Each structure stands twice: as structure tokens, then as C-alpha cells.
Amino acid sequence: MPVVLVANPKGGVGKSTLATNIAGYFASRGHAVMLGDVDRQQSSRLWLGLRPPQARPIATWEATGDSAVVRPPRGTTHAVLDTPAGLHGWRFKEVLALADRVIVPLQPSIFDIYATRDFLDRLKDQRRAEKTRISLVGMRVNARTLAADRLHEFIASLGVPVLGELRDTQNYVQLAARGLTLFDIAPGRVQRDLAQWQPICDWLEG
């Protein structure tokens, strides 16, 4: 069972947006998916509570509080885990030990860039050898800005695979307010965004 961890020590970088849409993608493929949230704010859990009954099912992975995260029950084929800002210590080691894949969202700000560099170093030191695959996703990127150019320069220096960049759009905000993802609505309505997601989906299935 693949477990996808969405993590970054910075808050507000789009972790819950990534986590919920990854879960939505897995559900759209007919997988029995669970979504967990170890963030005290419980954004992903709140989103699950908004999800309409007619949408493809995504189960809740109980991963709250200070207790250990229990692996999803038998019958679950895919799991996604959303994490808090400032993830460190035993909790960082615990969730990383569960993960087969780690996606690190990154926004084009100098503060996010430096925080992410340190986090990637910790990931490389703590991961289970080469079994845990790590990749980056640029979030809320406007390609026509100097900040985006700085982000590209930073990413090129890391030696970590980059799955793509997601644009800054209200589509994510509006869908999240209804407990939905890009993969729950007619493709024609979000065609541009789905095109940006295709490399991410390929990596998740690869």
C-alpha cells in the first residue's frame, strides 16, 4: 500500500491543497484511499467533513493528537498524510517511516526556499534509504515573476526531482470549500489545472 506524505516545515505553502487533491486523484482511479491529518489545525479532516455523499469516497485516517499514527486498516489500497508546519522530532521520524513517497510543496518566496533547503537535508538523512522517493512541487507560481525565476534557480541546485508547478487559481479554493478536488468535476472546467497535475499523477502511479 503506497503512503504519500505531504510535508514542509513552513505553514501556508499549500500542503492541504496537495494532500486533498492527491487523495481525490486516487479516489478517481477507483482506489480505496484514506486521508490523514497530523496538523493541529486539521484542515484536511475539515475538508473531509465538507465532502458531499455523492463524491467518490475518501476515508478518514485517524492520525490526530500526540499518539502514534496507526497504519490504515486492511482493505485500504492508498493513503495520504497531511502534516503540520514545524514537523520535527519523534513525529517527523514516525510519519517519514510510514511514507513510500514524500511530496514537498514550495512557494516562490525567499523564506520558503531557505526553510525547504534545510528540510530536504533532514529528509535525505532520515528516509528509509532509497525506498522513500522525494519530489518537489511549486505552489501558487506565477511564471512571469522574478520570484518564479528565483525558485527555478533554487530548484536547479537541489538535485531533487521537480514534478511541476501549480498556478495560483481560485479553482482550488472554491473546490475545497465544497469538499471537492480537480478530479471530482468535469475535466473541461479545470483543463489547464489538470494539465499541470499530469506529471504529479504519473509520479504517483509510477
Side-chain angles (χ1 to χ4, degrees):
M1 178 190 67
V3 176
V4 180
L5 178 68
V6 181
N8 188 305
K10 283 283 291 178
V13 295
K15 290 188 290 289
S16 295
T17 295
L18 266 184
T20 53
N21 276 273
I22 290 169
Y25 168 71
F26 284 146
S28 75
R29 304 290 290 175
H31 299 305
V33 58
M34 297 191 80
L35 174 63
D37 191 346
V38 294
D39 191 340
R40 290 181 184 274
Q41 293 183 356
Q42 292 288 290
S43 298
S44 290
R45 190 181 181 93
L46 171 64
W47 175 84
L48 280 172
L50 297 172
R51 194 160 173 80
Q54 65 271 26
R56 297 179 184 91
I58 298 173
T60 301
W61 180 5
E62 294 296 341
T64 60
D66 295 325
S67 58
V69 178
V70 179
R71 290 191 70 89
R74 294 176 65 87
T76 304
T77 62
H78 294 68
V80 183
L81 191 58
D82 194 3
T83 60
L87 183 66
H88 66 281
W90 69 270
R91 180 63 96 186
F92 170 69
K93 294 179 181 178
E94 177 194 41
V95 296
L96 187 58
L98 292 170
D100 301 289
R101 299 167 192 251
V102 182
I103 294 186
V104 181
L106 172 62
Q107 289 194 95
S109 89
I110 193 66
F111 303 108
D112 291 337
I113 284 172
Y114 279 102
T116 300
R117 182 186 293 278
D118 292 339
F119 184 63
L120 288 171
D121 289 340
R122 285 198 291 145
L123 276 178
K124 292 174 184 177
D125 291 340
Q126 296 286 342
R127 67 178 173 174
R128 298 175 295 164
E130 296 302 318
K131 292 183 179 180
T132 305
R133 298 172 60 189
I134 303 170
S135 289
L136 289 166
V137 174
M139 301 294 291
R140 302 171 188 147
V141 177
N142 183 341
R144 295 172 294 182
T145 63
L146 290 175
D149 292 339
R150 188 182 301 117
L151 178 65
H152 298 155
E153 292 174 5
F154 168 69
I155 287 174
S157 71
L158 292 175
V160 177
V162 182
L163 301 181
E165 298 175 353
L166 304 183
R167 68 191 182 112
D168 190 5
T169 170
Q170 285 295 301
N171 285 341
Y172 294 108
V173 176
Q174 294 167 1
L175 288 169
R178 294 183 284 148
L180 297 174
T181 73
L182 297 174
F183 306 96
D184 292 308
I185 63 175
R189 293 174 55 188
V190 288
Q191 188 172 10
R192 183 178 174 187
D193 299 304
L194 289 175
Q196 292 186 324
W197 267 85
Q198 191 57 55
I200 302 173
C201 297
D202 292 342
W203 184 80
L204 291 169
E205 296 284 3

